[in-house]
Structures are given as structure tokens and as C-alpha cells.
Amino acid sequence: MPICCLFIYKAPLSKSLLLVPSAISILLTLLFQHYQKFFAYNLQAVKEDFQIWRLVCGRTICLDLKDTFCSSLLIYNFRIFERRYGSRKFSSFLLGAWMLSALFDLLLVEITQYMFGITINSLPSGFLGPVFALFVPFYSSIPRVQVTQVLGHFSITNKSLVYILGLQLLTSGSYIWILALSGLISGICYNSSILKVHRILCVPRWVAKIFSWTLEPVFSSAEPTNEVRVGMGATVDIQRQQRMELLDRQIMMSQVAQMRRQRQQQGGMINWNRLFPPLRHRQNANYQDHPSEQGIPPPTEVSEEQVARLMEMGFSRGDALEALRASNNDLNVATNFLLQH
């Protein structure tokens, strides 16, 4: 089985974004240079000649191979979101971020011209706005686990390489900072629970079904034979969530190990059963006395957003609620506990 298929299992959209734009970019650079003009992100042509098609072509295919390489590596690392949330939610995020970042591109160009007198007629081409937008959920939802330290002061984490790739992509062009800023703003807007953008800019179910019938068989990969199997859930959504990338679970377990090492250095071990009574035995009357014995009053409310995040990882709502109550609404501690039990 090819290595590419092994690591992009259950992520057909990420695989298509990794292969198709990269192949077209290479062909345009090596064989069809005279067609590159159709994929240039020419803002002047969009505003003055109303060539709206340039927004589609110019914001999809990279004309610089360095940008192609960096964005492909980032999409490869961000495939975890498709495996966690499903192809429809992932494609909805990319669609919303693409549309919002196109609007913010034009707005930031006008602001730059108004404030600094700099006229920008074109921007770097490629699927860069949504790629930068993916840094928002990457920063907020992927746990940070220290891998090592350099010179005793600088920490290297599991997320350092992704940030380095983003910095490399950010410095590859003169005006690419506009694309990065518009992508980050669009990612924040789409993830905002106040603006509710995700309810408006989303892929309809019937469109998702059409693409699942036509394109998913082309870009789907066979199940790796050496991957650890997990139990099947009662619904399709739970089954999809249970097939999350093994690396994501390993990151969580590494965080638990790191917490234990820190407690060992402080002279004590983490006693999970002391902090968290078994989930199946929390309904007895004596459970209400445990928090007071530890001096930690139970929280009055549990964040529904954190409950949803735990349920997206495959845990039941009841276990998520109990873990969050016991951990005083600490999402990382609750996740670590659920993974250990």
C-alpha cells in the first residue's frame, strides 16, 4: 500500500486538495507556462473588468512551487480536522473561509491603499486563505505537548513544525501577509459562536452526497491493515469520530505522561481515582461529599461547547458531563481522564 494512502485514510477531501492543485501547479510551471496568466490573482482585472472567474482560478492554484510545497504540507497536517469532524463539516469550513477571505482580501487591499498609498494590483495565487484559516482551529483545539527543549529554555512541541511551515509560507512573497491576515480573520469569524457564520456558509447535504457518490470513490484510500481498530459506535457520526487519527490520541496520551512526570518531580503521583471517582459510580449519594473533602466546589454549569468537543472525540454526553464537572470545566484534564478510563 502506498505511504500516501496510509496517512490520508478517511480524508478524501484533504487528499484531493493535496494532489490535484499540486499536479496542476507543477504542469503549469514546467509544461504550460503560457496558461499561467489565467491563474493569476489579478485584483485589478476583478475590480475594473469584473473578471470574477479570476477569483476562482487565482485563489485555487499556486503559481509558485515553494507556495505549492508549503501549502501541501500544511494541508497534509490539517487533514486531522477532516478525520475528526467529517468531510462535510471540513469542506464547509474551507468554503466559508474561502469566501470570507476573498472579501477580506479586497478590503485589506483598499485599506492599505488608503492608509499607506500603496497600490496592489495582484496577490500571490493559490488556496492560501483557507490554509491560513485552518491555523485558528489548529491553535484552539489541538493540545500543545512539549517534545524537547533547545538550550534549556526554548520548548519544541508537537505543533512547532506546523507553525514553522506557516512562517515559511508567510515570508515567501511580498504581499502574502494580506492573504495570511484575511485567512486568520475569516477563520476566527467562521469559528465564532456569536456571528453564526457556519450556519450560513456551509455545504448543503445534497451537495455533500453528490460529491460522496462521485469523487469520494476516486480519492478514498483503503483501510490500513496495521492500524489499531476501535469499537464501532451506534451512529454514523460516532463511527466517523471514532476513526480519528491515531496521532491525535497519542498527543493526548503524551500530555498525560507529561503531567505525571511533572507531578513525580514535585514529589507525588497523580491519583486519578482520587480526583475523579469512577464514572459508573458517581450517582451514589456519597459522591457529593468528595469535592468538599478536596476543597474543590463543584461548578454550577458545564460549557456546552466543551461537551460538544468531547462528544466529537467519540465520548458519550454523560461521560463528558461528569468529566467536566469533576475537572472544574478543564477540557484538557477531562479529556486526559476519559482517555485513561
Side-chain angles (χ1 to χ4, degrees), residues 6 36 40 44 69 79 163 190 214 231 247 251 279-280 294 327:
L6 176 64
Q36 287 186 354
Q44 184 178 6
F69 179 73
R79 74 197 185 282
Y163 290 135
Y190 195 88
T214 56
L247 176 61
I251 289 172
L279 291 176
R280 299 296 178 261
Q294 302 299 326
S327 63

Side-chain angles (χ1 to χ4, degrees), residues 84 139-145 159 248 251-253 255-256 258-259 272 276 306 309-310 313 315 323-324 327-340:
R84 175 181 292 186
Y139 174 81
S140 60
S141 63
I142 301 300
R144 177 180 177 272
V145 179
K159 303 167 73 172
D248 193 24
I251 289 172
M252 295 288 190
M253 300 304 294
Q255 190 177 27
V256 175
Q258 183 183 6
M259 294 174 62
W272 288 109
F276 303 98
Q306 292 179 346
R309 287 190 180 182
L310 290 176
M313 296 181 189
F315 304 114
L324 286 170
S327 63
N328 198 24
N329 274 325
D330 190 316
L331 181 61
N332 289 331
V333 175
T335 304
N336 293 331
F337 170 70
L338 290 171
L339 289 174
Q340 286 281 16

Side-chain angles (χ1 to χ4, degrees), residues 283-295:
Q283 302 301 325
N284 56 54
N286 295 329
Y287 170 66
Q288 299 296 333
D289 297 331
H290 292 298
S292 59
E293 293 175 2
Q294 302 299 326

Side-chain angles (χ1 to χ4, degrees), residues 225-239:
T225 56
N226 59 343
E227 185 176 359
V228 179
R229 295 185 179 272
V230 297
M232 298 303 291
T235 66
V236 176
D237 288 336
I238 294 179
Q239 292 176 17

